[in-house]
Amino acid sequence: MEWFDLVSTYEPTNNPLSTYDQLRLWFDHMRTYVIFIYLILLYYTGFAPKGRMPILKTLLLIVVLFMGAMLFSVLDIMNLPVRSALFVALIIMALARLRRKDLREEA
């Protein structure tokens, strides 16, 4: 768990931390979990099958997504825009899903 302590790259300049600084430090500290939540939301917005999956497949999916989140957090440490790219992808997937739902209702 030592590498969790190394992931913070944001250092605030003012001594009494503002709300923005506290939020930014929290997001840096919880980087892997934020990316994991983004990945789960992306999967369920765009790629999940219609029916329910068996529980073991769901658990395997969650484990694989968490391993991917750890990999993406390492890439995010190296100043690649992983979190922002996942957020944009989530917005695009949500808009595509809403658009698909609108097309079904019209037909």
Side-chain angles (χ1 to χ4, degrees), residues 2-100:
E2 292 178 13
W3 68 277
F4 279 118
D5 298 332
L6 299 174
V7 297
S8 181
T9 57
Y10 179 69
E11 296 178 14
T13 55
N14 48 355
N15 197 1
L17 296 177
S18 66
T19 306
Y20 173 76
D21 290 334
Q22 291 174 356
L23 185 66
R24 181 91 187 257
L25 285 173
W26 184 82
F27 273 118
D28 274 351
H29 184 68
M30 298 294 181
R31 174 176 289 149
T32 303
Y33 302 114
V34 171
I35 291 173
F36 178 61
I37 290 170
Y38 281 162
L39 288 175
I40 286 178
L41 290 174
L42 270 172
Y43 174 75
Y44 281 110
T45 6
F47 303 107
K50 296 286 184 193
R52 290 188 71 182
M53 286 194 317
I55 190 75
L56 289 177
K57 280 186 180 180
T58 306
L59 288 175
L60 180 65
L61 173 75
I62 289 173
V63 167
V64 169
L65 285 177
F66 190 73
M67 288 175 14
M70 288 192 305
L71 176 70
F72 281 150
S73 67
V74 169
L75 293 175
D76 196 38
I77 292 170
M78 296 188 308
N79 294 328
L80 293 174
V82 174
R83 283 182 289 179
S84 57
L86 286 174
F87 184 71
V88 169
L90 185 62
I91 290 173
I92 290 171
M93 291 295 247
L95 290 174
R97 186 170 186 156
L98 287 173
R99 177 77 177 149
R100 195 173 357 145

